[in-house]
Structure formats: structure tokens, C-alpha cells
Amino acid sequence: MPAVAPTAQTGGGEAQTPSQEAVTIQYWTFWADRWGEFQGKIVEEYNRTHNDIRVEMLIVPWGELATKLLTAVSAGNPPDFSIINRSEVVEWAVRGGVLPLDDYIAASDEVHPEDWFESAWTECVWEGKAYAQPFESGTYAAWYHIGLFEEAGLDPTALPTTWSEVDAMAEAITQGTPQDGYTRVGFIPWGSRQDLLGWLAGGEWYDEETQQITAVTPENIAAMEWVKQYADRYGGEALERFRQSLGGGDTEDDPFYRDQLGSVWKGSWSLSAKVEYAPDVPFDVRPLPYRDGTSNDSVNQGSACVLPKGSPHPDPAYQFLTWMSIHGVAMWVPFAADMVSRKDQTDIYPDALPDNEQFRGYWKLYNDALAYAHHEPAMPARRFWNDQLSAAVDAIVRGAKSPEQALQDAQEATQRELDKALGKA
């Protein structure tokens, strides 16, 4: 539904009376339910404090936005502005579906790329041109179930920092056998984002300069050997049956809350779910553990502000785009418990989290990861690659392929798809 200017002030800035010459721009958002309400409040604040531009917001459900936006662009009737998954920006740029912003950025007194974390900004760039400005971000960290640590006789003040330490923890906490099944598992390496494994082993999945998939490297193979180690030790099929029996993450049935998993890798947004569904479950949060001999890593994922090709009012839409990417996101974080993408905003704290030393420490830990996190490979075959990596991991877990062969197959298939997308094949 459209967001309209409220009749009462909602905080921040002076109220403005719409001028008769005000331009109305259309904004499509994928956020719905309470998050859609949060977006509506941000739009209301913009409308309240600006008299030359009116923003009307339309909620298009997450799973439908990309298709409807592409259809609208192809038909020549897109919205003026939208926010999309940041990892999709390059795909949209390659197909010509979003406008480059470089001229606007060069003319702006407020937009300086260096003000954003590098992993957020560079994900919006294709072949030297910026096609978006980051909105919110999110990183990953490791959660440890302190109750299960204590029950297993482990020291909850000495949490794992390396994979070998995770192995010892998993051994102590796991209950069950491959033959009889499991009631509790200490850790499953492929239970979260699988691309994290390569980065945490010191590897890279993609070379942006050469536009080559780089899955088959000693580091990435070592990451997949860690997967194989757990599949061999605990039974890949048995762990998969256990995983399939678990409740949904970030719900009241989250297996971490239900004492079924000793450690999980979760995004920053999961903290608010923990407060809502399991405030009494004792836990601690640390940076993601890494392969011995490497160092900290994470992923920075989020969304980005774009002007679709054919935007009816690109100039005023860019004014709103910049406001959203700097000021709108500063309102969004307290509402939605997401993270910022700019270096000067990491002190913004979500209203949904307890205002205490423990949770502020966790929030800082997630924010600290913005400085060293990777972003997903910025290429037009990204989704295909994610599917191939998932298939590779599944083949390793089930014993169908060796780590090297699984990665080789994923690399070759994705390179063919990428070359087609780039017009090289």
C-alpha cells in the first residue's frame, strides 16, 4: 500500500508542506509485515520533512519483486526507485536493468564511496561503474550453547577460535551414533552458509579481475575436506536425517534453543529472534572459527538502493535514494535490528535488543566483522554458483564425490554459465 505523509510529526527535522510542484515518485519494496510497516515509517518521515518530492511505497513480496521489477522494466513502466538484494546488483547491471549512478555520485556533496565499508560498496560496482548504493548489512558469527558446554564438561570461558577446537567441542557435545541416529549434535560445518567455509579456510571463490571461478584451490579443498571429516566421523546420511528433523531457525523451534545443537553460525538479525523466542537459553557469541593458520572472516550481505532502467523521475529519485542509503538506514536499524553499511554509523543500536553490556558486545562483534567480511562473488552467475556449491557439498556429505572432484565439477559448470552471461561463449 502507498505510504502517505502523516498528520503528526514522527521525529527528526521540521515538517514541510507539500508544494503544488512536488514530484511524486514510486518506491517498490520487498519488505512486508512489520518490516513493511518500518519502511512505511521511514517514507513518512521523508515525506514529512521534504516538500519537493512525495514518495509512494508499494509492497511487492520478496519472492515476487525481481520478476515484477524485470517485467516492469521490460514494459517501460518501472517504479522510480527500489531496494533489491545487494548480491543481485551485478546481475541487474549486466542485463541493463538498473541505471549507473556515477554521474550523480560525482555531483553529490554527500555521497563518498569511502564512507561505506568496502565489502558493501564494491558489491554494487560492475566494471568500474556503481549501479547502487548500499542500504543495510548483516554479518555472521558463531553462537555457542553455554548450557550444553557445561553439561559436556567443557569450559564455557574457553570457546573455540579454530576448526580443530570446534572438532573437540563437537565430539564432547554430540549424543548418538550413525546407526541409531542423533539426539544432539555439537556442530555441522555445512549447516549454515557454505561459502563461508572457503573464506574461513583462507580461500577465494572468484577472481573479479579475470572473471574466473576459483573453487579448486588448496584452501577451498581443505574446507571441503573438513566437511568430509564430519561426514566420515558422524555419518553424512545420519547427520542429514538429523538436520531434516530440526525445527526452523529463528523460530521458537530453533534447534539451538531446543538444546539440539551445540554451536551454530548465525546472522546479526538472529539476535532479535533470540530475545523474542528464547531469552533464557544461555549462550555466547564469538567471531566465526577458522582453519588453523588462517584468520577471521565473515560475509557481508544486505540490500541496495537502485534506480530501475526507465525510472520516470531519475533525478528526484536519486535524491531519495541517497537519503535512504544514509539517513533512512539510520532509522531502519533501530526498527529492524539490521546493521548499517557505513563506517560512521556502527554505533546505532537496535531497539529490539537489550541495552546491556552483553548484547552491546555481541552487536559490536558483528559490526567489527564489516571491516574484514567478504561479499558474495559479484558476477551474473552468482545464483547458479550458489546452487553448484550446494550440490558439491551435498555430494561430499553423501560420499558421492571427493572434495576436489566436487569442486572441479562446480567450477567448470559455473564457468560455462558465467561465460554465457558475459557473452564469451
Side-chain angles (χ1 to χ4, degrees):
M1 65 182 66
V4 297
T7 57
Q9 292 195 4
T10 56
E14 296 182 357
Q16 300 288 314
T17 301
S19 68
Q20 292 183 345
E21 295 78 21
V23 176
T24 298
I25 64 173
Q26 302 293 324
Y27 162 34
W28 286 9
T29 180
F30 56 73
W31 278 293
D33 302 322
R34 61 177 175 178
W35 293 276
E37 294 177 8
F38 297 157
Q39 282 286 309
K41 290 180 180 179
I42 295 171
V43 169
E44 288 175 351
E45 175 65 7
Y46 183 86
N47 286 339
R48 189 185 68 81
T49 56
H50 295 74
N51 65 1
D52 54 342
I53 301 171
R54 299 284 94 187
V55 179
E56 293 184 351
M57 187 183 85
L58 176 68
I59 294 175
V60 181
W62 170 267
E64 301 176 17
L65 177 62
T67 300
K68 290 190 175 182
L69 190 57
L70 180 60
T71 300
V73 168
S74 300
N77 59 352
D80 297 275
F81 166 80
S82 188
I83 293 181
I84 63 174
N85 189 325
R86 200 163 64 223
S87 61
E88 296 176 355
V89 169
V90 165
E91 298 173 66
W92 279 93
V94 170
R95 66 168 69 126
V98 292
L99 299 176
L101 305 179
D102 300 81
D103 290 344
Y104 289 115
I105 293 169
S108 174
D109 294 330
E110 196 171 15
V111 179
H112 308 286
E114 63 272 16
D115 291 341
W116 280 266
F117 284 98
E118 183 178 3
S119 58
W121 186 269
T122 56
E123 196 171 20
C124 299
V125 176
W126 174 249
E127 295 188 338
K129 293 184 178 181
Y131 286 87
Q133 289 174 200
F135 190 64
E136 106 293 359
S137 285
T139 61
Y140 274 71
W143 289 24
Y144 298 100
H145 194 306
I146 298 305
L148 299 188
F149 264 68
E150 293 174 341
E151 185 177 327
L154 299 173
D155 183 357
T157 67
L159 299 175
T161 59
T162 65
W163 288 0
S164 61
E165 293 169 351
V166 171
D167 296 342
M169 172 212 72
E171 182 81 20
I173 291 178
T174 298
Q175 295 180 354
T177 66
Q179 296 76 27
D180 299 331
Y182 294 98
T183 58
R184 178 180 296 166
V185 171
F187 181 68
I188 303 175
W190 60 91
S192 182
R193 287 193 61 128
Q194 295 162 352
D195 50 5
L196 286 168
L197 295 168
W199 295 322
L200 289 163
E204 297 287 348
W205 297 115
Y206 178 62
D207 187 322
E208 292 188 9
E209 289 190 9
T210 63
Q211 297 179 332
Q212 295 291 308
I213 307 299
T214 58
V216 187
T217 65
E219 295 82 5
N220 293 333
I221 293 172
M224 295 301 108
E225 288 287 357
W226 196 42
V227 169
K228 183 176 184 298
Q229 172 190 323
Y230 274 69
D232 291 346
R233 168 65 182 83
Y234 299 102
E237 296 284 357
L239 286 178
E240 282 302 280
R241 287 194 296 272
F242 174 75
R243 281 214 313 143
Q244 296 305 316
S245 72
L246 300 177
D250 295 339
T251 69
E252 62 182 359
D253 294 322
D254 188 307
F256 185 80
Y257 308 157
R258 296 287 186 175
D259 304 340
Q260 294 171 293
L261 290 172
S263 178
V264 291
W265 294 354
K266 283 184 173 286
S268 46
W269 54 91
S270 294
L271 288 172
S272 59
K274 170 70 168 61
V275 172
E276 181 175 356
Y277 295 114
D280 297 327
V281 172
F283 82 128
D284 208 342
V285 181
R286 291 290 186 273
L288 293 172
Y290 45 83
R291 184 169 70 100
D292 299 61
T294 61
S295 59
N296 289 338
D297 217 315
S298 188
V299 64
N300 180 355
Q301 64 183 63
S303 60
C305 305
V306 297
L307 301 183
K309 179 183 178 182
S311 171
H313 308 97
D315 292 352
Y318 181 75
Q319 293 182 44
F320 178 63
L321 182 155
T322 290
W323 187 90
M324 283 291 283
S325 68
I326 298 175
H327 308 289
V329 72
M331 294 179 61
W332 175 254
V333 170
F335 287 150
D338 279 328
M339 294 166 59
V340 297
S341 300
R342 286 172 58 89
K343 300 172 185 176
D344 61 348
Q345 294 181 328
T346 56
D347 60 338
I348 301 175
Y349 190 71
D351 293 340
L353 300 184
D355 190 6
N356 58 38
E357 183 177 359
Q358 178 190 19
F359 274 83
R360 280 192 172 272
Y362 297 157
W363 195 246
K364 182 180 185 302
L365 184 151
Y366 276 110
N367 274 281
D368 287 347
L370 290 168
Y372 57 75
H374 277 76
H375 60 67
E376 290 190 57
M379 60 171 180
R382 175 196 58 85
R383 279 178 285 190
F384 185 89
W385 159 246
N386 287 342
D387 291 342
Q388 291 298 308
L389 179 59
S390 179
V393 170
D394 185 69
I396 295 166
V397 169
R398 299 185 186 281
K401 295 181 181 179
S402 69
E404 184 170 1
Q405 186 61 57
L407 289 177
Q408 185 70 49
D409 292 347
Q411 176 173 295
E412 291 177 358
T414 306
Q415 193 64 55
R416 289 193 297 268
E417 188 72 14
L418 177 60
D419 288 345
K420 285 194 296 183
L422 295 173
K424 295 182 179 180

Tab-separated table of all heavy atoms in Angstrom, residues 22-28 53-54 56 69 72-82 97-99 104 306-320:
chain	number	residue	atom	x	y	z
A	22	ALA	N	5.397	19.562	-6.283
A	22	ALA	CA	6.095	18.381	-5.786
A	22	ALA	C	5.987	17.221	-6.781
A	22	ALA	O	4.928	16.968	-7.354
A	22	ALA	CB	5.524	17.962	-4.439
A	23	VAL	N	7.112	16.528	-6.970
A	23	VAL	CA	7.153	15.361	-7.835
A	23	VAL	C	6.836	14.124	-7.001
A	23	VAL	O	7.378	13.950	-5.913
A	23	VAL	CB	8.545	15.213	-8.482
A	23	VAL	CG1	8.616	13.929	-9.310
A	23	VAL	CG2	8.873	16.421	-9.335
A	24	THR	N	5.955	13.288	-7.502
A	24	THR	CA	5.634	12.031	-6.824
A	24	THR	C	6.425	10.909	-7.463
A	24	THR	O	6.383	10.710	-8.681
A	24	THR	CB	4.132	11.728	-6.921
A	24	THR	OG1	3.396	12.763	-6.264
A	24	THR	CG2	3.811	10.392	-6.257
A	25	ILE	N	7.160	10.179	-6.633
A	25	ILE	CA	7.926	9.044	-7.135
A	25	ILE	C	7.420	7.759	-6.497
A	25	ILE	O	6.924	7.758	-5.368
A	25	ILE	CB	9.440	9.210	-6.890
A	25	ILE	CG1	9.759	9.251	-5.388
A	25	ILE	CG2	9.960	10.471	-7.582
A	25	ILE	CD1	11.248	9.239	-5.097
A	26	GLN	N	7.560	6.676	-7.235
A	26	GLN	CA	7.092	5.365	-6.799
A	26	GLN	C	8.269	4.530	-6.295
A	26	GLN	O	9.294	4.426	-6.959
A	26	GLN	CB	6.409	4.624	-7.956
A	26	GLN	CG	5.224	5.364	-8.552
A	26	GLN	CD	4.066	5.476	-7.578
A	26	GLN	OE1	3.817	4.555	-6.794
A	26	GLN	NE2	3.353	6.590	-7.630
A	27	TYR	N	8.071	3.930	-5.115
A	27	TYR	CA	9.092	3.082	-4.494
A	27	TYR	C	8.514	1.695	-4.282
A	27	TYR	O	7.484	1.540	-3.632
A	27	TYR	CB	9.528	3.711	-3.162
A	27	TYR	CG	10.250	2.804	-2.196
A	27	TYR	CD1	11.111	1.791	-2.630
A	27	TYR	CD2	10.082	2.970	-0.814
A	27	TYR	CE1	11.766	0.969	-1.725
A	27	TYR	CE2	10.747	2.158	0.100
A	27	TYR	CZ	11.571	1.149	-0.362
A	27	TYR	OH	12.222	0.338	0.531
A	28	TRP	N	9.177	0.666	-4.837
A	28	TRP	CA	8.777	-0.713	-4.618
A	28	TRP	C	9.714	-1.347	-3.603
A	28	TRP	O	10.946	-1.300	-3.752
A	28	TRP	CB	8.850	-1.514	-5.920
A	28	TRP	CG	7.753	-1.198	-6.890
A	28	TRP	CD1	6.839	-0.179	-6.811
A	28	TRP	CD2	7.471	-1.894	-8.106
A	28	TRP	NE1	6.000	-0.212	-7.886
A	28	TRP	CE2	6.359	-1.244	-8.710
A	28	TRP	CE3	8.031	-2.982	-8.748
A	28	TRP	CZ2	5.826	-1.673	-9.916
A	28	TRP	CZ3	7.507	-3.416	-9.959
A	28	TRP	CH2	6.405	-2.765	-10.533
A	53	ILE	N	9.454	16.547	-3.037
A	53	ILE	CA	9.329	15.167	-3.524
A	53	ILE	C	8.370	14.413	-2.611
A	53	ILE	O	8.499	14.468	-1.397
A	53	ILE	CB	10.696	14.452	-3.552
A	53	ILE	CG1	11.687	15.186	-4.462
A	53	ILE	CG2	10.536	13.000	-4.015
A	53	ILE	CD1	13.107	14.652	-4.359
A	54	ARG	N	7.411	13.724	-3.200
A	54	ARG	CA	6.498	12.846	-2.464
A	54	ARG	C	6.811	11.404	-2.859
A	54	ARG	O	6.931	11.095	-4.044
A	54	ARG	CB	5.033	13.124	-2.812
A	54	ARG	CG	4.537	14.512	-2.501
A	54	ARG	CD	4.297	14.691	-1.009
A	54	ARG	NE	5.472	15.266	-0.330
A	54	ARG	CZ	5.589	15.398	0.967
A	54	ARG	NH1	4.638	14.973	1.762
A	54	ARG	NH2	6.665	15.945	1.487
A	56	GLU	N	5.614	7.452	-2.780
A	56	GLU	CA	4.562	6.465	-2.571
A	56	GLU	C	5.200	5.086	-2.599
A	56	GLU	O	5.929	4.746	-3.530
A	56	GLU	CB	3.468	6.577	-3.640
A	56	GLU	CG	2.675	7.869	-3.564
A	56	GLU	CD	1.543	7.922	-4.576
A	56	GLU	OE1	1.501	7.019	-5.441
A	56	GLU	OE2	0.721	8.849	-4.502
A	69	LEU	N	9.675	-6.585	-11.106
A	69	LEU	CA	10.513	-5.447	-11.476
A	69	LEU	C	11.065	-5.639	-12.876
A	69	LEU	O	11.088	-4.692	-13.686
A	69	LEU	CB	11.641	-5.293	-10.460
A	69	LEU	CG	12.476	-4.012	-10.545
A	69	LEU	CD1	11.595	-2.774	-10.412
A	69	LEU	CD2	13.560	-4.020	-9.466
A	72	ALA	N	8.311	-4.961	-15.342
A	72	ALA	CA	8.023	-3.535	-15.450
A	72	ALA	C	9.104	-2.809	-16.233
A	72	ALA	O	8.804	-1.920	-17.065
A	72	ALA	CB	7.891	-2.929	-14.054
A	73	VAL	N	10.351	-3.161	-16.013
A	73	VAL	CA	11.448	-2.543	-16.763
A	73	VAL	C	11.323	-2.872	-18.250
A	73	VAL	O	11.468	-2.002	-19.109
A	73	VAL	CB	12.815	-3.009	-16.208
A	73	VAL	CG1	13.946	-2.614	-17.149
A	73	VAL	CG2	13.056	-2.417	-14.823
A	74	SER	N	11.039	-4.138	-18.548
A	74	SER	CA	10.912	-4.559	-19.949
A	74	SER	C	9.750	-3.866	-20.635
A	74	SER	O	9.809	-3.565	-21.838
A	74	SER	CB	10.724	-6.082	-20.016
A	74	SER	OG	11.836	-6.754	-19.446
A	75	ALA	N	8.678	-3.601	-19.874
A	75	ALA	CA	7.493	-2.953	-20.444
A	75	ALA	C	7.619	-1.434	-20.481
A	75	ALA	O	6.741	-0.756	-21.022
A	75	ALA	CB	6.257	-3.348	-19.648
A	76	GLY	N	8.670	-0.900	-19.902
A	76	GLY	CA	8.877	0.542	-19.908
A	76	GLY	C	8.083	1.302	-18.870
A	76	GLY	O	7.917	2.514	-18.995
A	77	ASN	N	7.590	0.606	-17.835
A	77	ASN	CA	6.836	1.303	-16.788
A	77	ASN	C	7.310	0.895	-15.386
A	77	ASN	O	6.505	0.427	-14.563
A	77	ASN	CB	5.336	1.050	-16.946
A	77	ASN	CG	4.986	-0.425	-16.881
A	77	ASN	OD1	5.863	-1.279	-16.872
A	77	ASN	ND2	3.697	-0.728	-16.832
A	78	PRO	N	8.598	1.054	-15.112
A	78	PRO	CA	9.106	0.654	-13.803
A	78	PRO	C	8.811	1.698	-12.736
A	78	PRO	O	8.418	2.839	-13.056
A	78	PRO	CB	10.614	0.569	-14.046
A	78	PRO	CG	10.849	1.677	-15.030
A	78	PRO	CD	9.651	1.639	-15.947
A	79	PRO	N	9.015	1.363	-11.482
A	79	PRO	CA	8.970	2.388	-10.432
A	79	PRO	C	10.184	3.290	-10.553
A	79	PRO	O	11.155	2.968	-11.256
A	79	PRO	CB	9.013	1.562	-9.147
A	79	PRO	CG	9.790	0.340	-9.522
A	79	PRO	CD	9.366	0.033	-10.939
A	80	ASP	N	10.141	4.407	-9.871
A	80	ASP	CA	11.279	5.329	-9.893
A	80	ASP	C	12.464	4.779	-9.115
A	80	ASP	O	13.633	5.058	-9.455
A	80	ASP	CB	10.869	6.673	-9.271
A	80	ASP	CG	9.771	7.346	-10.059
A	80	ASP	OD1	10.088	8.040	-11.032
A	80	ASP	OD2	8.589	7.173	-9.690
A	81	PHE	N	12.179	4.014	-8.076
A	81	PHE	CA	13.210	3.610	-7.125
A	81	PHE	C	12.837	2.266	-6.527
A	81	PHE	O	11.657	1.948	-6.378
A	81	PHE	CB	13.300	4.669	-6.019
A	81	PHE	CG	14.082	4.248	-4.804
A	81	PHE	CD1	15.463	4.297	-4.802
A	81	PHE	CD2	13.435	3.797	-3.662
A	81	PHE	CE1	16.186	3.907	-3.677
A	81	PHE	CE2	14.143	3.413	-2.535
A	81	PHE	CZ	15.529	3.465	-2.546
A	82	SER	N	13.858	1.469	-6.195
A	82	SER	CA	13.594	0.220	-5.497
A	82	SER	C	14.812	-0.147	-4.651
A	82	SER	O	15.898	0.417	-4.812
A	82	SER	CB	13.284	-0.907	-6.490
A	82	SER	OG	12.847	-2.067	-5.801
A	97	GLY	N	19.291	-3.586	-16.440
A	97	GLY	CA	18.030	-3.335	-15.763
A	97	GLY	C	18.047	-2.216	-14.747
A	97	GLY	O	16.988	-1.793	-14.273
A	98	VAL	N	19.252	-1.718	-14.378
A	98	VAL	CA	19.367	-0.601	-13.438
A	98	VAL	C	20.327	0.431	-14.016
A	98	VAL	O	21.201	0.118	-14.832
A	98	VAL	CB	19.856	-1.071	-12.043
A	98	VAL	CG1	18.800	-1.919	-11.363
A	98	VAL	CG2	21.177	-1.833	-12.145
A	99	LEU	N	20.161	1.665	-13.579
A	99	LEU	CA	20.949	2.760	-14.118
A	99	LEU	C	22.268	2.938	-13.368
A	99	LEU	O	22.308	2.791	-12.144
A	99	LEU	CB	20.162	4.073	-14.023
A	99	LEU	CG	18.837	4.152	-14.780
A	99	LEU	CD1	18.158	5.488	-14.501
A	99	LEU	CD2	19.064	3.949	-16.268
A	104	TYR	N	25.659	10.978	-10.857
A	104	TYR	CA	25.001	11.501	-9.660
A	104	TYR	C	25.974	11.541	-8.485
A	104	TYR	O	26.020	12.514	-7.723
A	104	TYR	CB	23.806	10.631	-9.288
A	104	TYR	CG	22.619	10.748	-10.222
A	104	TYR	CD1	22.204	9.659	-10.985
A	104	TYR	CD2	21.906	11.939	-10.327
A	104	TYR	CE1	21.107	9.759	-11.828
A	104	TYR	CE2	20.810	12.043	-11.164
A	104	TYR	CZ	20.414	10.945	-11.919
A	104	TYR	OH	19.328	11.054	-12.745
A	306	VAL	N	18.495	1.211	-5.773
A	306	VAL	CA	18.735	1.298	-7.217
A	306	VAL	C	17.685	2.160	-7.900
A	306	VAL	O	16.573	2.350	-7.390
A	306	VAL	CB	18.732	-0.101	-7.871
A	306	VAL	CG1	19.855	-0.965	-7.320
A	306	VAL	CG2	17.378	-0.801	-7.695
A	307	LEU	N	18.069	2.653	-9.080
A	307	LEU	CA	17.136	3.303	-9.998
A	307	LEU	C	16.915	2.351	-11.163
A	307	LEU	O	17.838	2.107	-11.955
A	307	LEU	CB	17.707	4.626	-10.525
A	307	LEU	CG	18.056	5.703	-9.507
A	307	LEU	CD1	18.542	6.966	-10.232
A	307	LEU	CD2	16.862	6.033	-8.617
A	308	PRO	N	15.739	1.752	-11.286
A	308	PRO	CA	15.498	0.849	-12.417
A	308	PRO	C	15.631	1.585	-13.749
A	308	PRO	O	15.361	2.792	-13.851
A	308	PRO	CB	14.054	0.384	-12.197
A	308	PRO	CG	13.803	0.615	-10.736
A	308	PRO	CD	14.594	1.826	-10.377
A	309	LYS	N	16.058	0.865	-14.762
A	309	LYS	CA	16.128	1.447	-16.098
A	309	LYS	C	14.744	1.950	-16.495
A	309	LYS	O	13.741	1.254	-16.327
A	309	LYS	CB	16.600	0.408	-17.098
A	309	LYS	CG	16.689	0.935	-18.529
A	309	LYS	CD	17.102	-0.155	-19.500
A	309	LYS	CE	17.140	0.371	-20.933
A	309	LYS	NZ	17.497	-0.717	-21.891
A	310	GLY	N	14.696	3.184	-17.002
A	310	GLY	CA	13.418	3.775	-17.363
A	310	GLY	C	12.736	4.485	-16.224
A	310	GLY	O	11.565	4.877	-16.348
A	311	SER	N	13.441	4.649	-15.115
A	311	SER	CA	12.887	5.389	-13.974
A	311	SER	C	12.279	6.700	-14.476
A	311	SER	O	12.970	7.514	-15.091
A	311	SER	CB	13.993	5.683	-12.961
A	311	SER	OG	13.546	6.559	-11.954
A	312	PRO	N	10.980	6.924	-14.226
A	312	PRO	CA	10.327	8.106	-14.795
A	312	PRO	C	10.900	9.432	-14.301
A	312	PRO	O	10.893	10.417	-15.041
A	312	PRO	CB	8.865	7.942	-14.358
A	312	PRO	CG	8.705	6.481	-14.109
A	312	PRO	CD	10.016	6.034	-13.568
A	313	HIS	N	11.393	9.455	-13.074
A	313	HIS	CA	11.919	10.695	-12.496
A	313	HIS	C	13.262	10.398	-11.835
A	313	HIS	O	13.377	10.406	-10.601
A	313	HIS	CB	10.944	11.273	-11.463
A	313	HIS	CG	9.546	11.423	-11.966
A	313	HIS	ND1	8.565	10.476	-11.725
A	313	HIS	CD2	8.953	12.400	-12.698
A	313	HIS	CE1	7.434	10.872	-12.284
A	313	HIS	NE2	7.635	12.035	-12.881
A	314	PRO	N	14.302	10.126	-12.618
A	314	PRO	CA	15.563	9.676	-12.030
A	314	PRO	C	16.237	10.702	-11.132
A	314	PRO	O	16.864	10.315	-10.130
A	314	PRO	CB	16.421	9.335	-13.253
A	314	PRO	CG	15.837	10.142	-14.369
A	314	PRO	CD	14.370	10.190	-14.094
A	315	ASP	N	16.124	11.984	-11.446
A	315	ASP	CA	16.813	12.988	-10.631
A	315	ASP	C	16.233	13.075	-9.212
A	315	ASP	O	16.975	12.927	-8.231
A	315	ASP	CB	16.778	14.353	-11.307
A	315	ASP	CG	17.617	14.385	-12.583
A	315	ASP	OD1	18.330	13.394	-12.846
A	315	ASP	OD2	17.558	15.386	-13.315
A	316	PRO	N	14.936	13.288	-9.051
A	316	PRO	CA	14.401	13.282	-7.690
A	316	PRO	C	14.490	11.901	-7.039
A	316	PRO	O	14.660	11.791	-5.820
A	316	PRO	CB	12.950	13.726	-7.856
A	316	PRO	CG	12.632	13.520	-9.287
A	316	PRO	CD	13.904	13.700	-10.033
A	317	ALA	N	14.395	10.857	-7.839
A	317	ALA	CA	14.515	9.513	-7.282
A	317	ALA	C	15.911	9.302	-6.700
A	317	ALA	O	16.068	8.644	-5.664
A	317	ALA	CB	14.207	8.461	-8.340
A	318	TYR	N	16.936	9.865	-7.350
A	318	TYR	CA	18.279	9.722	-6.792
A	318	TYR	C	18.410	10.515	-5.491
A	318	TYR	O	19.125	10.085	-4.578
A	318	TYR	CB	19.364	10.164	-7.776
A	318	TYR	CG	20.743	9.977	-7.169
A	318	TYR	CD1	21.302	8.715	-7.048
A	318	TYR	CD2	21.446	11.068	-6.657
A	318	TYR	CE1	22.542	8.529	-6.440
A	318	TYR	CE2	22.690	10.890	-6.048
A	318	TYR	CZ	23.220	9.616	-5.943
A	318	TYR	OH	24.443	9.439	-5.319
A	319	GLN	N	17.734	11.632	-5.395
A	319	GLN	CA	17.760	12.366	-4.125
A	319	GLN	C	17.202	11.497	-2.991
A	319	GLN	O	17.775	11.443	-1.898
A	319	GLN	CB	16.951	13.664	-4.251
A	319	GLN	CG	17.547	14.691	-5.193
A	319	GLN	CD	16.712	15.962	-5.233
A	319	GLN	OE1	16.276	16.473	-4.200
A	319	GLN	NE2	16.466	16.467	-6.429
A	320	PHE	N	16.093	10.812	-3.279
A	320	PHE	CA	15.517	9.917	-2.271
A	320	PHE	C	16.431	8.720	-2.031
A	320	PHE	O	16.609	8.275	-0.888
A	320	PHE	CB	14.129	9.457	-2.714
A	320	PHE	CG	13.474	8.496	-1.754
A	320	PHE	CD1	13.172	8.887	-0.454
A	320	PHE	CD2	13.163	7.196	-2.152
A	320	PHE	CE1	12.574	8.001	0.440
A	320	PHE	CE2	12.554	6.310	-1.271
A	320	PHE	CZ	12.268	6.714	0.024
